[in-house]
Amino acid sequence: MRLRKDLSTTIKNTKTTDSPKPKKSTRASSKIPKSREEVLAKVLGEVDIDAIKEDDTYSFTKIDTLPLLFEAYEAFLSENPEILAVDTETQGLKWGDRIIGVSFSWSDERNYYIPMRHEDEGRQLLVEECAPVLNEMFSHPDKKYVFHNYKFDHHKLVKEGIHVLGTVHDTMLMHYVLDENDRHALKHLASKFVDSKADYYEKIISDIRRRLARGLKIKLADFGFENIPIDIMVQYACRDTLYTLKLFHIFHRDIYGDENTLKVYQRELDVLPVLCDMEAEGVYIDQTLLMDKSVLLQEEIERLRKEVWELAECEFDLNSPSQLSEVLQGKGIHTFQYTPKGKMSTDRKALKGIARKFPFIKKLLEFRDCHKNKNTYTDPLCGHCDEGSRIHCSYAQAVAVTGRLTCKSPSLQVIPRSTGIREAFVPPSDDFLIVPIDLSQIELRLTAHYSQDPILLHAYTYEEDIHSRTAAEIFDVDIDSVTKDQRTVAKPINFGIIYGIGPSKLAETLDVTVDEAKHYIEMYLTRYAGVSAFIEKYKRLAKKHGYVKNYFGRVRHLDFLKNPDIEQWQRERGYRQAVNFVVQSSAADMFKIIMRRCHDLLKGKKSSMVMNIHDEIVFYMHTDELDLLAPIKLAFERWNFRVPIIAEISYSDVSWAAKEPLEWD
């Protein structure tokens, strides 16, 4: 780029100075593409690869011939280890990415890597050559097979015809159960508990990957580990399984030494095969409908863009916060909201506050909604579909501190109902119905159970409308006299009180004054004295012990609350987290148990579970198996709480968006 710039400058100058035409630079020859070998040599000369190679603490073995594979298998049979750590190296993290190698370890001296699909001239084995031996090695029912993020490796191995039939453990889940607040990445844990250099080795590999991608002209996002030289991957992959093995021994003592912790960990293991089957099944998408919706959204985006420009009487980039700020300042408009750096905020909340006064702001918010729907949901969803038009998202267990499942790649839990995108989630054929099932107001029912508040217990025992009941209590009227507006006030209070909703947030939600919102909250806590006592009880427990437990024994560590010198805002936040955890995490563990129950009911059936969306599970129910709905409903409702747990079943033969309630006798 510098050569071109200099050359253009010289040419420009010759027009005024009549100087001779410059000679052609020989530097242009540097643009000739380098061979892969040249790029590798250059990159490996620039990084500290010796730091890895010279560390001979452990023994790492490359298996690139069948005799070496059989030799490793014979050693496995001869030494008969109780535990085998396993890991896969892949082209990438996407559903369709393939295995490029498999590593396994059972001691400091027995660490092996089998290269299979590397872009390398070195010897490798074919997957089909390895599969029979690996299946033999991974099928001992008396052995423990340890992974770090088992679900990911499971899918990759199964696609290659390789199956693990022994007892499975997952060090990522083990650590998640022991310390939900920490990170659970393998290298982080290895650096913390096993090898202080683990993070450094990871950085070296990342540096090699980045430099190779640049040298080979491959986008980093598309640069898989198959491009890393085999000899380097032997070190990298074997360390992964060795670290996993050592972490298992460390975490095993802590988990199996405490009965409560063991139960929580076992519950996470129990849901693993459920999630594996659900992810493999995938959810069917009508891509034509999505593309049509994308076209309509683009037309709406263009229409709204012009309308904003017309109303604002100027043209600017509607997606640029800085340009929007300039427009607002030029018109003397202020949102009276600020960014952490002290600048005027132009986020949705800030703009919503002034949208009534300025029509172009209202239209700008509509533009942003359409733009987000198209670029965050509609267009990306098609890119996640496989050849059969199914999306195979991943449900992460070790993310939310409450135990809630987190959906990613893509996240189906964040698709707003109002966008119409759920219309594209259709039954896979005419033989199936989409059947979403959720637990009615589960967190409020759990609040009733925990608090034993007489008003809540009465309302749920006798099936009163809880929002009308709360409105009656707050406004001191008979439940039959509650107006629609009064019920509207009660609803966010019911759902927000356990999560520490404050007067400001409630005022914003209800569009009332802060004093009015404060009055509503005070009235609620006065009338629902049991709920108030429940909140105070768990604040005290959190402060005293530095942790709280949910109904199923899951722990939330809040050690900082034991510190008498923390800021008051930190203490209040910790209290909110404690109370929130007790209710929300109990509901999360309920759903994991429900999913396991339903998974057992659906074994060998045509029907299947396909999605978990917070408090809702979505099924494909075959029309010949609708009688399964009765035991499935029971699986949702079979609990010994102080109030009944009610499953609400919907169905549709059209789409997820078109669901309607199923009347249940």
Side-chain angles (χ1 to χ4, degrees):
M1 295 299 293
R2 181 178 293 175
L3 174 63
R4 290 185 179 181
K5 183 178 180 181
D6 291 347
L7 186 59
S8 64
T9 302
T10 305
I11 292 173
K12 185 177 180 180
N13 290 340
T14 59
K15 292 181 181 179
T16 56
T17 62
D18 293 324
S19 57
K21 195 172 183 178
K23 293 182 180 180
K24 196 170 184 179
S25 173
T26 57
R27 289 175 63 190
S29 61
S30 65
K31 296 180 181 178
I32 299 173
K34 293 181 180 180
S35 69
R36 177 183 174 81
E37 290 70 25
E38 289 176 312
V39 172
L40 282 173
K42 181 176 184 299
V43 168
L44 296 182
E46 295 172 340
V47 298
D48 188 16
I49 195 66
D50 290 338
I52 298 179
K53 290 184 176 181
E54 292 174 0
D55 184 351
D56 58 358
T57 308
Y58 310 108
S59 174
F60 303 130
T61 303
K62 174 174 62 178
I63 298 178
D64 55 5
T65 67
L66 282 176
L68 284 174
L69 178 59
F70 292 135
E71 184 179 313
Y73 181 50
E74 289 296 329
F76 173 76
L77 293 177
S78 173
E79 297 178 20
N80 194 26
E82 180 187 359
I83 304 162
L84 183 69
V86 184
D87 189 31
T88 62
E89 300 301 336
T90 64
Q91 296 165 334
L93 303 178
K94 296 177 183 176
W95 178 258
D97 290 333
R98 307 292 297 275
I99 281 177
I100 64 164
V102 174
S103 60
F104 51 89
S105 301
W106 68 84
S107 71
D108 289 359
E109 295 76 30
R110 297 297 190 179
N111 305 285
Y112 300 92
Y113 179 65
I114 311 173
M116 298 172 179
R117 291 193 179 98
H118 283 262
E119 297 291 332
D120 194 302
E121 293 183 359
R123 288 184 310 190
Q124 301 182 64
L125 289 176
L126 299 174
V127 177
E128 50 268 31
E129 291 177 315
C130 304
V133 179
L134 293 178
N135 275 323
E136 286 288 331
M137 191 176 290
F138 298 164
S139 63
H140 293 249
D142 59 330
K143 296 192 184 300
K144 298 180 179 73
Y145 295 93
V146 184
F147 296 77
H148 192 85
N149 192 8
Y150 164 76
K151 238 174 356 80
F152 177 83
D153 296 310
H154 163 84
H155 291 308
K156 301 304 180 187
L157 290 169
V158 167
K159 287 179 185 177
E160 307 292 356
I162 301 170
H163 302 272
V164 178
L165 302 180
T167 302
V168 167
H169 285 275
D170 190 326
T171 49
M172 181 177 70
L173 296 181
M174 295 176 89
H175 185 257
Y176 172 61
V177 167
L178 291 168
D179 187 356
E180 75 288 352
N181 295 314
D182 195 5
R183 291 187 291 126
H184 314 294
L186 178 60
K187 298 304 191 302
H188 167 70
L189 298 180
S191 182
K192 185 174 181 179
F193 295 104
V194 179
D195 181 355
S196 60
K197 295 181 180 179
D199 266 340
Y200 177 64
Y201 295 148
E202 174 80 355
K203 288 175 183 175
I204 292 175
I205 295 297
S206 297
D207 194 23
I208 292 173
R209 183 170 174 267
R210 179 175 52 81
R211 291 171 184 268
L212 278 178
R214 187 168 59 222
L216 296 173
K217 311 298 183 188
I218 301 173
K219 288 183 179 179
L220 189 60
D222 300 327
F223 188 91
F225 278 86
E226 70 273 15
N227 293 290
I228 303 289
I230 291 174
D231 287 344
I232 295 176
M233 283 303 297
V234 171
Q235 289 269 344
Y236 180 83
C238 286
R239 286 183 187 277
D240 278 1
T241 47
L242 181 59
Y243 291 153
T244 300
L245 182 68
K246 290 182 175 294
L247 288 172
F248 174 76
H249 287 297
I250 294 169
F251 299 156
H252 185 275
R253 292 192 297 268
D254 294 330
I255 286 179
Y256 283 78
D258 182 84
E259 184 178 353
N260 180 74
T261 306
L262 178 57
K263 286 180 180 178
V264 178
Y265 174 56
Q266 189 58 55
R267 192 177 305 116
E268 296 295 344
L269 291 182
D270 288 345
V271 84
L272 270 179
V274 183
L275 298 177
C276 286
D277 285 355
M278 194 163 73
E279 292 172 1
E281 178 73 19
V283 58
Y284 187 75
I285 299 293
D286 184 336
Q287 294 191 67
T288 301
L289 191 151
L290 267 185
M291 288 186 282
D292 290 345
K293 190 170 288 294
S294 180
V295 171
L296 293 174
L297 282 170
Q298 186 60 43
E299 292 173 356
E300 184 71 359
I301 286 169
E302 296 304 324
R303 183 188 69 78
L304 287 167
R305 191 197 314 274
K306 292 176 182 177
E307 197 167 346
V308 171
W309 286 345
E310 185 177 337
L311 290 169
E313 299 179 333
C314 64
E315 293 187 7
F316 62 99
D317 183 354
L318 272 59
N319 291 312
S320 170
S322 61
Q323 289 190 31
L324 174 58
S325 291
E326 289 178 12
V327 170
L328 293 177
Q329 290 169 9
K331 294 178 177 293
I333 299 172
H334 204 293
T335 64
F336 299 104
Q337 300 284 334
Y338 299 90
T339 68
K341 293 185 177 180
K343 295 183 179 180
M344 181 177 67
S345 173
T346 57
D347 64 12
R348 180 177 182 81
K349 178 183 175 182
L351 294 179
K352 196 175 178 181
I354 62 171
R356 287 183 180 180
K357 295 181 181 179
F358 305 101
F360 83 94
I361 295 295
K362 183 178 179 181
K363 290 298 177 182
L364 175 61
L365 288 173
E366 291 180 27
F367 168 89
R368 284 187 177 180
D369 286 341
C370 286
H371 191 272
K372 181 178 181 180
N373 289 341
K374 183 178 188 299
N375 294 283
T376 303
Y377 305 122
T378 309
D379 293 357
L381 282 177
C382 283
H384 285 284
C385 289
D386 67 9
E387 62 279 3
S389 233
R390 290 183 184 247
I391 289 177
H392 304 271
C393 59
S394 174
Y395 289 94
Q397 293 165 263
V399 175
V401 294
T402 58
R404 258 191 171 185
L405 294 173
T406 302
C407 182
K408 60 181 184 179
S409 303
S411 176
L412 305 180
Q413 295 173 331
V414 297
I415 298 175
R417 289 185 175 90
S418 59
T419 60
I421 295 171
R422 293 187 177 193
E423 294 171 9
F425 289 71
V426 299
S429 76
D430 293 339
D431 296 326
F432 290 88
L433 298 177
I434 284 186
V435 178
I437 306 178
D438 64 19
L439 289 181
S440 168
Q441 299 175 348
I442 183 57
E443 292 180 7
L444 284 175
R445 291 175 187 270
L446 286 171
T447 301
H449 169 81
Y450 273 111
S451 69
Q452 301 184 56
D453 184 274
I455 299 175
L456 281 182
L457 291 176
H458 181 276
Y460 281 120
T461 301
Y462 294 96
E463 298 183 7
E464 287 183 334
D465 179 85
I466 191 62
H467 303 311
S468 295
R469 168 48 62 194
T470 295
E473 299 299 327
I474 289 176
F475 294 101
D476 196 22
V477 298
D478 187 81
I479 191 170
D480 295 328
S481 303
V482 170
T483 65
K484 183 178 180 181
D485 288 343
Q486 289 172 333
R487 188 180 184 277
T488 299
V489 169
K491 193 171 182 178
I493 298 175
N494 272 333
F495 287 126
I497 203 75
I498 293 302
Y499 304 113
I501 191 169
S504 298
K505 179 64 177 177
L506 184 61
E508 179 188 333
T509 303
L510 295 175
D511 196 18
V512 298
T513 67
V514 173
D515 285 342
E516 284 179 287
K518 185 178 180 181
H519 172 71
Y520 292 148
I521 293 173
E522 289 174 350
M523 284 297 295
Y524 180 96
L525 293 174
T526 298
R527 297 297 296 153
Y528 291 92
V531 176
S532 180
F534 159 64
I535 293 171
E536 293 305 315
K537 172 186 175 181
Y538 277 90
K539 285 183 179 180
R540 289 195 305 272
L541 289 173
K543 181 179 180 180
K544 179 180 179 180
H545 301 297
Y547 67 86
V548 289
K549 286 185 182 180
N550 76 357
Y551 181 84
F552 299 96
R554 186 183 296 275
V555 175
R556 178 71 205 275
H557 296 92
L558 299 161
D559 297 324
F560 63 91
L561 287 175
K562 296 169 71 175
N563 180 357
D565 299 324
I566 61 171
E567 299 281 347
Q568 186 59 29
W569 67 267
Q570 292 176 304
R571 187 172 300 284
E572 291 300 325
R573 184 186 64 181
Y575 287 156
R576 288 195 300 271
Q577 290 172 339
V579 178
N580 173 9
F581 173 82
V582 172
V583 174
Q584 193 178 95
S585 72
S586 295
D589 280 326
M590 284 177 71
F591 270 89
K592 288 179 178 176
I593 294 168
I594 289 168
M595 292 173 74
R596 180 59 195 237
R597 290 173 179 174
C598 293
H599 183 259
D600 292 342
L601 288 169
L602 294 174
K603 278 183 181 176
K605 306 296 184 182
K606 300 172 187 175
S607 303
S608 58
M609 264 186 299
V610 293
M611 285 190 286
N612 169 248
I613 309 297
H614 298 312
D615 296 339
E616 178 180 85
I617 299 175
V618 181
F619 297 79
Y620 287 154
M621 295 301 300
H622 195 277
T623 51
D624 292 342
E625 297 175 346
L626 296 181
D627 58 325
L628 287 170
L629 285 176
I632 287 175
K633 180 176 171 63
L634 183 61
F636 273 74
E637 297 178 342
R638 195 172 73 245
W639 302 98
N640 292 318
F641 293 115
R642 294 185 177 96
V643 294
I645 304 299
I646 305 298
E648 295 181 339
I649 304 177
S650 303
Y651 72 98
S652 175
D653 59 357
V654 179
S655 73
W656 187 20
K659 67 178 184 178
E660 52 187 278
L662 177 67
E663 297 298 329
W664 198 265
D665 295 331

